[in-house]
Amino acid sequence: MFSGLSLLSLVIWVPIVAGVAVLATGSDRNAGLARVLALIGALAGLVVSLPLYTQFDTLQAGMQFVEISPWIETFRITYHLGVDGISVLFILLTSFTTVLVVIAGWKVIEKRVAQYMAAFLFMSGLMNGVFAALDAVLFYVFWEAMLIPMFLIIGVWGGPNRVYAAVKFFLYTLLGSLLMLVAFIYLYSKVGTFEILDFHRVSLTMTEQILIFFAFFMAFAVKVPMWPVHTWLPDAHVEAPTGGSVVLAAIMLKMGAYGFLRLSLPIVPDASHALSGFMITLSLIAVVYIGLVALVQADMKKLIAYSSISHMGFVTLGTFIFNAYGIEGALVQMISHGFISAALFLCVGVLYDRMHSRMIADYGGVANTMPKFAAFFVLFAMANSGLPATSGFVGEFMVIMGTIKINFWYAFLAAITLIFGASYTLWMVKRVVFGAVANDHVGKLADISSREFLVLGLLAVAVLAMGLYPLPFTEVMHHSVSNLLSHVAQSKL
Amino acid sequence: MTFVAPNLIPALPEIFVLIMASLILVADLFLSDRNRYISYILTQLTLLGAAWITISSGSADAVYTFNGMFVGDVMANVLKMMTYLAVAAVLVYSRSYIQLRNLFTGEFFVLVLFAMLGMMVMISASHFLTLYLGLELLSLSLYSLVALQRDSAQATEAAMKYFVLGALASGLLLYGMSMIYGATGSLEIGKVAAAIQQGGANKTVLTFGLVFIVAGLAFKLGVVPFHMWIPDVYQGAPTAVTLFIGSAPKIAAFAFVMRLLAEGLNGLVHDWQGMLMIMAVLSMAIGNLAAIAQTNIKRMLAYSTISHMGFLLLGILSGTLNGYSSSMFYVLAYVLMSLGSFGMIMLLSRRGFEAENLDDFKGLNQRRPWYAFVMLLIMFSMAGVPPTIGFYAKLSVLQAALQAGYLWLVVFAVLMSVIGAFYYLRIIKLMYFDAPLDQAPLASQPDAGMLISLNGLAVLALGILPQPLMALCAYSIQKSLL
């Protein structure tokens, strides 16, 4: 249908062009048109990204759908795109999530609709760009440009404390990213190009590797976010509108871990090995400590935000144990968390739209008035706590399997958190969904509309499908991951 | 002794501008206030004519004339073209603003043209005296432009400060030049460079002279610790004049630094590198930190200028062709952003109201979404966030500094730009997150409105495809300095 040559460009530019079209509808008098255009744009984005999966050669480890053309010759920067088994699934996830977010914001957003929808479409294209870019400057451009729409989404459509959250989000991320830029420039001065694949091959001394590792670490750890640079996330999540939280949790957090896999590990393998203890420690702190923090949250969005940090701890843990189980587990966990966290934030959004409260204490017995919703909420909560047959189980199980080969106690600590995960999620569900109807407001709640049912239903299918039959996901990444591992095993010294 | 007529071709644009400025000065006397727009049109035509002459008379190789005092080379031609463009934009943005403030007079246009002539002479100078001549012509015109609003105490005070400090800086510069003359026996830039290269010159006198020259340059660029005049002048001057001071003269100042340091005193590169480094560090730190505390947007942008000039120095102090062309790119990018930001302030102003407080930007997205979007692009560009031209400007100077081995300087610059991002974000916050304080409809200014759209789109378009401008900068530096 589409030529393999320009597929990735389409995936990036279709949503952006659609975003411009949506923006052109102007004021809220044309809100209906803006919504329809946005949905068409998001669906078109999804349609053009599907061939990436169907035409993907799972037996090949290298880059596919490669596009390359000169861009800024002065610095030998190229417009170089390509995906491998590590990145392709994220592009699909991004396009899929964009459709959900557009539908989820259909009725809820009434102010400046065109700008809201356009921001998500721009972000979709830019995020796809991050996953497809193979030139460091191109990667950086997408990586940073993506902050602009997110900043506006939190700041314009967010909650009462939105300005603080938006600025904190932006500056935190910017600081990390700029150090990564310095690392890129340094590598450029050694290599002479900004090609990420050339960066993979350049040999570096241990000092250089350590410094570059920390420069990358600043960018990616903030994004993941890892303990102790996670403090922007709860603020951003709580203040962001539902759509913003969904994109933030489902995709933006994955970029940090993706950065570790695409840049840190292959460019500075020796430093990554040397500092793996450090990374594993931080990951375990995130998994255990943040899990405990999540337990005491009174605000549902905050609870899910902390749960995200804890789950992302599994991802970084899997990344830095250097075996196939760990990395594939991390990737599966990222995709799965993309579905589950999106679903949970949407569920909270559904409640918030009706009650204008995110406090657990304001709810109770929701199942009596919203049975369909309760079913979905319980399913996603189970998935979040890693119940077998849901996608949440697969990734965590693989990471724990990988970890146990390295060190029993690491695996033990990681496994303990499955208990924490179950406690904070299920306890929240218990207090919100079950029991007697807590107050009149809950008594008057209307169950989910067909629009909300569609969004949650799609996610439920994804969560169950991935939990029951993860092979289509893992076979895509398999060769790329083993290629990455063999690359990382070679010293660059 | 025979008289040989100098080759006038390289100086044709200057001659043309001089003639036209004098012509407008005289013609304006005979125009009634109602027909004043004729002076405006004549000024714009002058710029157009100068551009045409520059293009048709320019050559790819350097041509010296007036006994080596004046040079026409690619760098000069490119920078002059950019100067015309910037001045033309200044005039379009200012038109309605100065009309409403009774500044729409012949003097304004004549002074602008003389200031531009000064810039052109600076850009093409290849002799210390020519440089000084151009600089003084520019400065004197600017002093009077700042004071043009005679009944404004603030403007007069700003003009006084500017004049006194500017005169001091000129004195320093002249003193430094005399030292260099004493050490090398020449004022011609090429000969000075050769004399320093041969090594016969007295090193102490040279270094002493260099210090004074760098101090003078720093004043004209407005970098710390010679920055005191910038905030006061930017705030005190009528916004139209601030826009003018903040745009085209930066191009001339860049040329000035190139001619003096990169061409004339290249042999002392290790001496001036250190000085520029200190100034760059201080400018980036003080400019960015002080900008956070401002509530007046003109003053805030003044401090932002200081920090941008600090970044500009990063490229120059790396002392390589790569660094110089990066700085050239930076200065052009900066001028583009500066034009847009001050232009926007004037677009939001109206009779008796100056939109110069940060709060005047509140809720702009609800009043005029398109203007807010343009300003958003400009602010992100100033902060160096892609995909805008400001990012590539930062990228190119940072890579130049890093190639020259100043890793710590690059890291410092990066940290400072995070601080800088804070106050640019604040403007975006005011425009997008806050409700408007002021519901008065914005005056419709079709020409300025069109230009600000073009300006904003240029910031974005050059951010997506920066290659042509980068290549142009690299080419002109290569042609002029090799």
Side-chain angles (χ1 to χ4, degrees):
Chain A
M1 188 161 67
F2 297 105
S3 76
L5 276 175
S6 55
L7 208 51
L8 282 172
S9 280
L10 281 176
V11 165
I12 294 169
W13 293 104
V14 162
I16 292 180
V17 170
V20 173
V22 170
L23 213 50
T25 62
S27 72
D28 281 344
R29 267 170 303 170
N30 302 324
L33 179 63
R35 290 188 183 107
V36 173
L37 271 180
L39 183 62
I40 295 174
L43 285 173
L46 181 62
V47 167
V48 291
S49 58
L50 286 178
L52 287 181
Y53 185 80
T54 54
Q55 294 174 22
F56 190 84
D57 181 359
T58 52
L59 299 176
Q60 205 186 320
M63 291 297 163
Q64 305 186 32
F65 306 104
V66 174
E67 288 172 45
I68 185 163
S69 55
W71 180 28
I72 304 175
E73 284 106 341
T74 313
F75 300 130
R76 297 183 61 195
I77 299 170
T78 54
Y79 177 77
H80 189 179
L81 302 174
V83 285
D84 62 1
I86 294 173
S87 49
V88 67
L89 291 175
F90 291 112
I91 292 183
L92 291 167
L93 181 67
T94 307
S95 302
F96 176 65
T97 312
T98 307
V99 177
L100 295 185
V101 164
V102 168
I103 301 176
W106 199 265
K107 284 259 170 56
V108 184
I109 299 297
E110 285 160 349
K111 264 191 332 182
R112 281 166 264 166
V113 178
Q115 292 184 1
Y116 178 86
M117 295 294 180
F120 279 103
L121 288 171
F122 286 138
M123 211 153 45
S124 167
L126 296 171
M127 290 186 299
N128 282 336
V130 170
F131 293 122
L134 290 180
D135 180 281
V137 171
L138 189 64
F139 176 84
Y140 186 82
V141 166
F142 286 127
W143 176 275
E144 283 277 272
M146 183 180 77
L147 297 181
I148 300 177
M150 198 56 176
F151 173 72
L152 294 176
I153 286 169
I154 299 176
V156 177
W157 294 275
N161 201 12
R162 59 188 201 275
V163 174
Y164 170 77
V167 172
K168 189 173 178 184
F169 160 76
F170 196 96
L171 291 183
Y172 233 114
T173 336
L174 183 69
L175 173 65
S177 315
L178 279 167
L179 290 173
M180 170 172 79
L181 181 67
V182 175
F184 283 157
I185 299 175
Y186 184 82
L187 286 163
Y188 164 69
S189 73
K190 299 220 55 148
V191 181
T193 71
F194 275 106
E195 292 289 332
I196 291 176
L197 298 179
D198 290 343
F199 288 176
H200 286 188
R201 286 188 284 270
V202 67
S203 58
L204 298 160
T205 67
M206 197 59 184
T207 324
E208 287 173 322
Q209 290 204 23
I210 299 269
L211 287 174
I212 293 174
F213 182 88
F214 277 108
F216 285 154
F217 173 78
M218 286 296 286
F220 303 142
V222 165
K223 212 54 160 216
V224 167
M226 295 179 74
W227 184 88
V229 285
H230 65 280
T231 59
W232 63 271
L233 185 79
D235 286 317
H237 267 316
V238 169
E239 299 303 329
T242 305
S245 294
V246 168
V247 169
L248 202 56
I251 303 154
M252 280 205 186
L253 304 192
K254 310 304 177 296
M255 283 176 185
Y258 172 74
F260 281 124
L261 288 172
R262 174 68 77 230
L263 296 165
S264 297
L265 257 47
I267 295 177
V268 287
D270 303 293
S272 303
H273 278 291
L275 292 166
S276 64
F278 169 72
M279 297 300 289
I280 290 171
T281 311
L282 290 187
S283 307
L284 286 174
I285 292 177
V287 168
V288 178
Y289 165 71
I290 300 293
L292 287 170
V293 172
L295 207 51
V296 295
Q297 296 305 316
D299 179 321
M300 285 190 272
K301 258 190 159 178
K302 245 189 175 144
L303 191 149
I304 302 169
Y306 280 112
S307 136
S308 289
I309 303 172
S310 174
H311 281 101
M312 290 307 287
F314 268 101
V315 172
T316 42
L317 176 66
T319 307
F320 282 90
I321 55 177
F322 303 104
N323 60 36
Y325 270 128
I327 291 182
E328 285 182 24
L331 283 167
V332 170
Q333 170 79 342
M334 283 196 257
I335 305 287
S336 142
H337 180 255
F339 293 138
I340 298 170
S341 62
L344 285 173
F345 277 118
L346 286 166
C347 286
V348 175
V350 164
L351 288 178
Y352 183 80
D353 295 339
R354 289 164 172 72
M355 298 266 292
H356 297 283
S357 166
R358 295 182 306 259
M359 292 299 151
I360 297 175
D362 290 344
Y363 294 89
V366 170
N368 299 312
T369 45
M370 300 175 75
K372 280 188 255 173
F373 169 79
F376 279 122
F377 198 33
V378 171
L379 169 71
F380 295 129
M382 292 294 182
N384 196 42
S385 39
L387 189 80
T390 63
S391 63
F393 172 73
V394 185
E396 290 180 9
F397 184 67
M398 285 169 82
V399 172
I400 293 171
M401 290 254 285
T403 315
I404 212 161
K405 291 187 182 169
I406 308 293
N407 184 321
F408 171 77
W409 290 106
Y410 291 168
F412 178 74
L413 271 176
I416 276 192
T417 38
L418 289 180
I419 304 171
F420 291 148
S423 334
Y424 58 72
T425 323
L426 298 181
W427 191 31
M428 171 183 78
V429 169
K430 185 226 147 209
R431 285 179 289 168
V432 171
V433 174
F434 298 121
V437 173
N439 54 42
D440 288 353
H441 298 296
V442 175
K444 289 189 200 123
L445 282 178
D447 208 345
I448 48 178
S449 65
S450 49
R451 179 180 57 86
E452 289 160 337
F453 189 89
L454 173 70
V455 173
L456 294 178
L458 282 172
L459 282 166
V461 170
V463 166
L464 288 172
M466 197 169 172
L468 291 169
Y469 190 54
L471 188 69
F473 296 91
T474 49
E475 73 171 2
V476 169
M477 60 187 70
H478 199 69
H479 281 87
S480 297
V481 168
S482 44
N483 184 39
L484 172 70
L485 280 169
S486 63
H487 181 92
V488 175
Q490 289 160 11
S491 170
K492 272 191 168 188
L493 293 172
Chain B
M1 198 172 157
T2 52
F3 176 74
V4 184
N7 176 11
L8 290 180
I9 293 180
L12 271 182
E14 282 81 358
I15 295 170
F16 175 73
V17 170
L18 176 62
I19 292 173
M20 286 304 287
S22 312
L23 201 78
I24 293 170
L25 183 62
V26 176
D28 189 72
L29 293 176
F30 299 97
L31 290 176
S32 64
D33 272 346
R34 210 157 45 82
N35 293 327
R36 196 72 66 200
Y37 66 91
I38 295 180
S39 302
Y40 171 78
I41 293 173
L42 277 176
T43 312
Q44 292 284 28
L45 286 177
T46 306
L47 297 174
L48 206 64
W52 180 71
I53 294 173
T54 310
I55 291 176
S56 48
S57 70
S59 70
D61 302 306
V63 185
Y64 289 86
T65 183
F66 297 114
N67 288 320
M69 294 184 95
F70 195 89
V71 62
D73 55 11
V74 180
M75 182 174 85
N77 291 332
V78 170
L79 289 178
K80 277 182 205 169
M81 292 301 289
M82 297 299 169
T83 310
Y84 306 145
L85 211 62
V87 174
V90 167
L91 291 173
V92 173
Y93 282 135
S94 319
R95 190 184 55 82
S96 137
Y97 181 90
I98 56 177
Q99 264 173 343
L100 292 176
R101 280 158 191 76
N102 297 324
L103 297 174
F104 196 73
T105 54
E107 294 91 293
F108 182 84
F109 301 113
V110 173
L111 284 171
V112 165
L113 282 182
F114 273 114
M116 191 181 83
L117 182 62
M119 297 181 223
M120 293 162 70
V121 172
M122 278 165 81
I123 290 172
S124 268
S126 65
H127 190 280
F128 283 178
L129 283 185
T130 335
L131 266 180
Y132 188 74
L133 180 76
L135 178 66
E136 284 305 282
L137 183 55
L138 167 66
S139 305
L140 288 171
S141 312
L142 289 183
Y143 303 147
S144 18
L145 272 173
V146 173
L148 206 55
Q149 211 169 17
R150 272 170 312 187
D151 44 2
S152 156
Q154 214 189 7
T156 319
E157 186 196 326
M160 259 335 260
K161 265 186 197 154
Y162 192 16
F163 176 67
V164 172
L165 289 173
L168 185 70
S170 299
L172 289 178
L173 193 69
L174 210 52
Y175 188 54
M177 285 177 177
S178 71
M179 292 278 190
I180 302 281
Y181 178 64
T184 61
S186 175
L187 284 170
E188 205 176 307
I189 286 174
K191 287 188 184 149
V192 168
I196 294 173
Q197 221 59 280
Q198 279 165 11
N202 183 331
K203 190 73 200 287
T204 318
V205 180
L206 270 183
T207 318
F208 209 68
L210 178 70
V211 171
F212 281 100
I213 286 190
V214 169
L217 284 178
F219 179 86
K220 298 299 170 191
L221 273 178
V223 290
V224 181
F226 303 96
H227 65 290
M228 310 295 184
W229 62 278
I230 295 230
D232 291 330
V233 171
Y234 272 43
Q235 187 182 5
T239 312
V241 177
T242 312
L243 167 66
F244 184 55
I245 296 178
S247 56
K250 303 291 178 200
I251 302 178
F254 168 75
F256 194 52
V257 176
M258 281 293 105
R259 299 289 184 206
L260 272 177
L261 295 186
E263 289 185 20
L265 304 175
N266 198 23
L268 301 175
V269 61
H270 296 294
D271 297 292
W272 54 257
Q273 259 177 340
M275 302 183 205
L276 294 194
M277 207 178 297
I278 294 169
M279 295 195 297
V281 166
L282 288 176
S283 302
M284 287 186 287
I286 293 179
N288 278 323
L289 289 172
I292 293 178
Q294 306 307 321
T295 53
N296 179 298
I297 186 167
K298 280 160 79 179
R299 210 173 170 82
M300 191 204 92
L301 287 173
Y303 281 107
S304 126
T305 305
I306 296 171
S307 76
H308 278 290
M309 291 301 123
F311 267 98
L312 178 76
L313 289 184
L314 282 184
I316 297 172
L317 67 82
S318 54
T320 55
L321 289 184
N322 174 9
Y324 300 147
S325 68
S326 300
S327 284
M328 183 168 165
F329 183 77
Y330 198 99
V331 81
L332 297 179
Y334 173 74
V335 167
L336 189 67
M337 299 184 277
S338 168
L339 281 171
S341 49
F342 285 109
M344 188 60 82
I345 298 176
M346 282 197 278
L347 272 175
L348 301 186
S349 300
R350 55 180 182 272
R351 189 186 292 276
F353 172 74
E354 306 276 341
E356 60 176 21
N357 286 319
L358 285 175
D359 286 349
D360 298 329
F361 278 79
K362 273 192 175 173
L364 187 60
N365 185 36
Q366 289 168 44
R367 296 168 70 198
R368 271 293 176 92
W370 175 243
Y371 282 2
F373 181 68
V374 168
M375 193 67 177
L376 170 110
L377 287 176
I378 293 169
M379 286 298 119
F380 274 123
S381 178
M382 288 237 185
V385 176
T388 55
I389 188 171
F391 165 67
Y392 299 94
K394 290 228 160 77
L395 175 72
S396 51
V397 293
L398 290 179
Q399 65 83 25
L402 205 142
Q403 302 265 21
Y406 300 114
L407 180 61
W408 66 272
L409 202 55
V410 170
V411 172
F412 180 81
V414 154
L415 295 179
M416 285 301 133
S417 62
V418 176
I419 296 176
F422 175 75
Y423 57 88
Y424 298 122
L425 282 184
R426 186 165 58 188
I427 296 202
I428 296 163
K429 174 232 155 197
L430 291 170
M431 292 190 303
Y432 277 84
F433 305 172
D434 288 350
L437 285 181
D438 174 9
Q439 289 293 0
L442 296 172
S444 137
Q445 299 173 31
D447 48 351
M450 182 86 89
L451 186 63
I452 200 102
S453 309
L454 281 178
N455 198 330
L457 290 177
V459 165
L460 183 65
L462 286 169
I464 294 170
L465 296 170
Q467 175 60 22
L469 189 58
M470 272 187 185
L472 184 68
C473 292
Y475 173 75
S476 35
I477 292 288
Q478 208 102 58
K479 274 286 184 189
S480 305
L481 290 181
L482 259 186

